[in-house]
Protein backbone atom coordinates (compact mmCIF):
# COMPACT_ATOMS: atom_id res chain seq x y z
CA UNK A 1 0.00 0.00 0.00
CA UNK A 2 1.78 3.14 -1.19
CA UNK A 3 0.41 6.35 0.26
CA UNK A 4 1.41 9.83 -0.85
CA UNK A 5 0.65 13.22 0.70
CA UNK A 6 -0.23 16.21 -1.49
CA UNK A 7 0.12 19.25 0.78
CA UNK A 8 -0.89 22.83 0.04
CA UNK A 9 -3.00 25.76 1.08
CA UNK A 10 -5.70 25.02 -1.51
CA UNK A 11 -7.13 28.53 -1.03
CA UNK A 12 -9.17 27.56 -3.02
CA UNK A 13 -8.58 24.28 -4.89
CA UNK A 14 -8.22 24.84 -8.67
CA UNK A 15 -8.38 22.65 -11.77
CA UNK A 16 -4.55 22.70 -11.75
CA UNK A 17 -4.49 21.09 -8.30
CA UNK A 18 -7.08 18.56 -9.51
CA UNK A 19 -4.94 17.68 -12.51
CA UNK A 20 -2.03 16.91 -10.16
CA UNK A 21 -4.28 14.88 -7.80
CA UNK A 22 -5.58 12.80 -10.70
CA UNK A 23 -2.06 12.00 -11.87
CA UNK A 24 -0.97 11.08 -8.33
CA UNK A 25 -4.05 8.87 -7.86
CA UNK A 26 -2.98 6.80 -10.87
CA UNK A 27 0.55 6.34 -9.54
CA UNK A 28 -0.12 5.62 -5.85
CA UNK A 29 -2.59 3.41 -3.99
CA UNK A 30 -3.79 6.25 -1.78
CA UNK A 31 -3.48 10.04 -1.97
CA UNK A 32 -4.03 12.26 1.06
CA UNK A 33 -4.74 15.82 -0.01
CA UNK A 34 -3.52 17.66 3.09
CA UNK A 35 -4.91 21.17 3.50
CA UNK A 36 -2.40 23.21 5.49
CA UNK A 37 -3.73 25.65 8.07
CA UNK A 38 -1.13 28.27 6.95
CA UNK A 39 -2.62 31.20 8.90
CA UNK A 40 0.56 33.16 8.12
CA UNK A 41 -0.55 33.31 4.48
CA UNK A 42 -3.81 34.99 5.54
CA UNK A 43 -6.04 32.65 3.53
CA UNK A 44 -9.31 33.96 2.07
CA UNK A 45 -11.16 30.78 3.06
CA UNK A 46 -11.15 29.13 6.49
CA UNK A 47 -9.50 25.76 6.94
CA UNK A 48 -12.92 24.07 7.05
CA UNK A 49 -14.09 25.86 3.90
CA UNK A 50 -10.91 24.86 2.04
CA UNK A 51 -11.29 21.26 3.17
CA UNK A 52 -14.97 21.10 2.15
CA UNK A 53 -14.30 22.57 -1.30
CA UNK A 54 -11.48 20.06 -1.85
CA UNK A 55 -13.70 17.18 -0.67
CA UNK A 56 -16.41 18.16 -3.14
CA UNK A 57 -13.89 18.41 -5.96
CA UNK A 58 -12.23 15.00 -5.41
CA UNK A 59 -15.37 13.04 -4.46
CA UNK A 60 -15.35 11.19 -7.79
CA UNK A 61 -11.79 9.86 -7.35
CA UNK A 62 -11.87 6.66 -5.29
CA UNK A 63 -8.43 6.62 -3.68
CA UNK A 64 -8.13 10.27 -2.58
CA UNK A 65 -9.07 11.62 0.83
CA UNK A 66 -8.88 15.15 2.22
CA UNK A 67 -7.48 16.01 5.64
CA UNK A 68 -6.22 19.14 7.36
CA UNK A 69 -2.82 19.50 8.92
CA UNK A 70 -0.53 21.91 10.69
CA UNK A 71 3.02 21.54 11.85
CA UNK A 72 5.93 19.83 10.22
CA UNK A 73 5.11 18.13 6.91
CA UNK A 74 7.68 15.34 7.29
CA UNK A 75 6.15 14.38 10.66
CA UNK A 76 2.69 14.30 9.11
CA UNK A 77 4.00 12.08 6.31
CA UNK A 78 5.54 9.60 8.77
CA UNK A 79 2.42 9.56 10.98
CA UNK A 80 0.33 8.60 7.97
CA UNK A 81 2.78 5.94 6.80
CA UNK A 82 3.19 7.73 3.48
CA UNK A 83 6.28 7.19 1.34
CA UNK A 84 6.39 10.52 -0.45
CA UNK A 85 5.14 14.06 -0.89
CA UNK A 86 3.64 15.21 -4.19
CA UNK A 87 4.08 18.78 -5.37
CA UNK A 88 3.02 20.39 -8.63
CA UNK A 89 5.53 22.13 -10.88
CA UNK A 90 4.02 24.65 -13.24
CA UNK A 91 7.01 26.52 -14.57
CA UNK A 92 10.63 27.31 -13.91
CA UNK A 93 9.41 29.96 -11.47
CA UNK A 94 8.10 27.24 -9.14
CA UNK A 95 11.33 25.31 -9.31
CA UNK A 96 13.59 27.21 -6.96
CA UNK A 97 11.22 27.26 -4.01
CA UNK A 98 10.06 23.69 -4.56
CA UNK A 99 13.66 22.49 -4.83
CA UNK A 100 14.55 24.17 -1.52
CA UNK A 101 11.48 22.75 0.16
CA UNK A 102 12.18 19.22 -1.07
CA UNK A 103 15.81 19.33 0.07
CA UNK A 104 14.89 20.80 3.46
CA UNK A 105 12.34 18.03 3.95
CA UNK A 106 14.99 15.49 3.01
CA UNK A 107 17.38 16.99 5.58
CA UNK A 108 14.65 16.67 8.20
CA UNK A 109 13.85 13.08 7.24
CA UNK A 110 15.84 11.24 4.64
CA UNK A 111 13.19 8.61 4.02
CA UNK A 112 10.61 11.12 2.74
CA UNK A 113 10.86 11.53 -1.03
CA UNK A 114 9.29 14.36 -3.05
CA UNK A 115 7.64 13.61 -6.39
CA UNK A 116 7.01 16.49 -8.80
CA UNK A 117 4.15 16.28 -11.25
CA UNK A 118 3.56 18.61 -14.18
CA UNK A 119 -0.03 19.59 -14.95
CA UNK A 120 -1.52 19.78 -18.42
CA UNK A 121 0.08 22.81 -20.13
CA UNK A 122 -3.24 24.67 -20.16
CA UNK A 123 -3.09 24.79 -16.33
CA UNK A 124 0.48 26.00 -16.10
CA UNK A 125 -0.59 29.64 -15.64
CA UNK A 126 -3.22 28.84 -13.03
CA UNK A 127 -2.80 29.73 -9.37
CA UNK A 128 -5.19 30.17 -6.45
CA UNK A 129 -3.85 33.70 -6.05
CA UNK A 130 -4.76 34.72 -9.62
CA UNK A 131 -8.15 33.04 -9.43
CA UNK A 132 -8.95 35.08 -6.31
CA UNK A 133 -7.74 38.26 -7.99
CA UNK A 134 -9.87 37.71 -11.11
CA UNK A 135 -12.92 36.77 -9.01
CA UNK A 136 -12.45 39.82 -6.79
CA UNK A 137 -12.51 42.04 -9.88
CA UNK A 138 -15.69 40.38 -11.11
CA UNK A 139 -14.12 38.16 -13.81
CA UNK A 140 -15.49 34.74 -14.72
CA UNK A 141 -13.42 31.95 -13.16
CA UNK A 142 -15.68 29.03 -14.16
CA UNK A 143 -13.05 27.50 -16.47
CA UNK A 144 -10.39 27.50 -13.75
CA UNK A 145 -12.09 26.01 -10.68
CA UNK A 146 -14.86 23.50 -9.88
CA UNK A 147 -18.44 24.87 -9.89
CA UNK A 148 -18.77 24.84 -6.09
CA UNK A 149 -15.63 26.96 -5.82
CA UNK A 150 -17.10 29.51 -8.26
CA UNK A 151 -20.15 29.75 -5.99
CA UNK A 152 -18.04 29.97 -2.82
CA UNK A 153 -15.90 32.77 -4.30
CA UNK A 154 -19.03 34.68 -5.25
CA UNK A 155 -20.48 34.33 -1.74
CA UNK A 156 -17.21 35.35 -0.12
CA UNK A 157 -16.22 38.25 -2.37
CA UNK A 158 -19.54 39.63 -3.57
CA UNK A 159 -22.08 38.86 -0.84
CA UNK A 160 -25.58 40.12 -1.58
CA UNK A 161 -26.56 43.09 0.55
CA UNK A 162 -29.05 42.24 3.31
CA UNK A 163 -32.67 42.73 2.14
CA UNK A 164 -33.42 45.85 4.25
CA UNK A 165 -30.43 47.63 2.73
CA UNK A 166 -31.55 47.57 -0.90
CA UNK A 167 -31.59 50.98 -2.55
CA UNK A 168 -35.10 52.46 -2.77
CA UNK A 169 -35.29 52.99 -6.56
P1 LIG B 1 1.27 26.28 -1.21
O1 LIG B 1 0.75 27.39 -0.37
O2 LIG B 1 1.85 25.15 -0.45
O3 LIG B 1 2.11 26.69 -2.38
P2 LIG B 1 -0.84 25.79 -3.09
O4 LIG B 1 -2.21 25.37 -2.75
O5 LIG B 1 -0.66 27.13 -3.70
O6 LIG B 1 -0.05 25.64 -1.75
O7 LIG B 1 -0.15 24.71 -4.01
C1 LIG B 1 0.04 23.38 -3.59
C2 LIG B 1 0.87 22.66 -4.63
O8 LIG B 1 0.17 22.61 -5.86
C3 LIG B 1 2.22 23.32 -4.94
O9 LIG B 1 3.17 22.31 -5.20
C4 LIG B 1 1.93 24.11 -6.20
O10 LIG B 1 3.11 24.28 -6.97
C5 LIG B 1 0.96 23.18 -6.88
N1 LIG B 1 0.08 23.88 -7.82
C6 LIG B 1 -0.63 25.00 -7.63
N2 LIG B 1 -1.30 25.37 -8.74
C7 LIG B 1 -0.99 24.43 -9.68
C8 LIG B 1 -1.31 24.26 -11.06
N3 LIG B 1 -2.07 25.13 -11.73
N4 LIG B 1 -0.81 23.19 -11.68
C9 LIG B 1 0.01 22.33 -11.03
N5 LIG B 1 0.38 22.44 -9.76
C10 LIG B 1 -0.10 23.48 -9.08
Amino acid sequence: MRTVVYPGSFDPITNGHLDVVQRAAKMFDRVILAVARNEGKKPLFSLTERKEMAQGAIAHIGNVSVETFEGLLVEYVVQHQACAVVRGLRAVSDFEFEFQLALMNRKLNESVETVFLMPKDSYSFLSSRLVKEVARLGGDVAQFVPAEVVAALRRKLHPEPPKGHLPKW
Side-chain angles (χ1 to χ4, degrees), residues 43-100:
L44 174 65
F45 291 101
S46 72
L47 189 60
T48 309
E49 288 170 329
R50 287 180 275 146
K51 179 183 179 184
E52 284 173 1
M53 283 185 281
Q55 270 170 333
I58 57 90
H60 63 287
I61 321 174
N63 56 341
V64 182
S65 58
V66 179
E67 290 187 20
T68 58
F69 92 104
E70 57 189 313
L72 217 46
L73 177 62
V74 286
E75 277 173 14
Y76 182 87
V77 169
V78 171
Q79 274 162 15
H80 290 77
Q81 278 132 35
C83 59
V85 169
V86 161
R87 295 286 286 178
L89 266 192
R90 285 162 289 194
V92 185
S93 50
D94 277 342
F95 181 79
E96 193 164 349
F97 175 69
E98 293 293 342
F99 186 68
Q100 281 181 1

Side-chain angles (χ1 to χ4, degrees), residues 6-21 34 36 38 41 50 69 85-91 94 97-98 101 115-120 122-129 144:
Y6 179 29
S9 314
F10 303 105
D11 183 40
I13 192 161
T14 70
N15 293 343
H17 293 128
L18 281 175
D19 180 290
V20 170
V21 172
N38 263 351
K41 279 196 166 182
R50 287 180 275 146
F69 92 104
V85 169
V86 161
R87 295 286 286 178
L89 266 192
R90 285 162 289 194
D94 277 342
F97 175 69
E98 293 293 342
L101 192 65
V115 175
F116 293 107
L117 295 175
M118 268 70 78
K120 207 160 99 178
S122 52
Y123 296 138
S124 61
F125 65 92
L126 194 52
S127 69
S128 300
R129 186 182 61 77
F144 310 130

